[in-house]
């Protein structure tokens, strides 16, 4: 497969799955989510879409940089952990927004954060630039984890 095709597929994959996750999120923003107490550091709702679009694009480029490397056990394990963290990323939207399980979403996002860190470590061993492209992602998920925790604390079940 040509490198440009791998790049396009990688970005379409991450943006596409991210958009799919957004389908579980968007209907709840003006409804259930609007009823929750939120911490003072809650950013405006309009900010989340552009930030996630940028992060999914960076993830796609990072994925491509590792995927284009020669097949090896190290590369395949790195791609596997990337997929695991990405499934967790997608699942968080369902748990938090669709199922309204704020506490379980907090547990899930912590596991996701660990998997992102492992992805960064694995990607760094293969292509350091690919790992660095994921740093904004783990920083945003760190913030999202704090936000999830604050919402959980402010809205006891």
């Amino acid at each position: 497969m040509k490198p440009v095709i791998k790049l396009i597929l990688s970005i379409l994959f991450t943006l596409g799955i991210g958009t799919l996750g957004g389908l579980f999120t968007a209907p709840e923003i003006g409804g259930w989510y609007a009823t929750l107490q939120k911490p003072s550091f809650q950013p405006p709702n309009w900010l989340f879409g552009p930030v996630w679009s940028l992060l999914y694009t960076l993830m796609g480029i990072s994925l491509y940089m590792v995927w284009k490397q020669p097949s090896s056990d190290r590369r395949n394990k790195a791609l596997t952990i990337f997929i695991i963290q990405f499934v967790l990323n997608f699942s968080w939207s369902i748990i938090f927004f669709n199922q309204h399980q704020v506490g379980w979403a907090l547990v899930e996002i912590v596991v996701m954060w660990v998997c992102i860190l492992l992805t960064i470590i694995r990607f760094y061993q293969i292509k350091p630039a690919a790992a660095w492209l994921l740093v904004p992602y783990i920083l945003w998920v760190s913030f999202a984890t704090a936000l999830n925790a604050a919402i959980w604390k402010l809205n006891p079940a």
Side-chain angles (χ1 to χ4, degrees), residues 5 11 22 26 34 39 45-46 48 50 56 69 72 84-85 94 97 103-104 106 109-110 120 122 125-126 128 139-140:
I5 300 297
I11 294 172
N45 289 337
W46 63 263
F48 288 90
Y56 287 132
Q69 300 304 313
S72 68
I84 291 168
Q85 68 78 24
I94 295 169
F97 284 103
W104 284 112
L106 179 58
I109 202 170
V110 169
I120 290 170
R122 294 280 185 157
Q125 296 168 345
I126 297 164
L139 292 174
W140 184 257

Side-chain angles (χ1 to χ4, degrees), residues 98-110:
N98 184 266
Q99 300 298 309
H100 307 167
Q101 296 295 319
V102 179
W104 284 112
L106 179 58
V107 171
E108 197 269 11
I109 202 170
V110 169

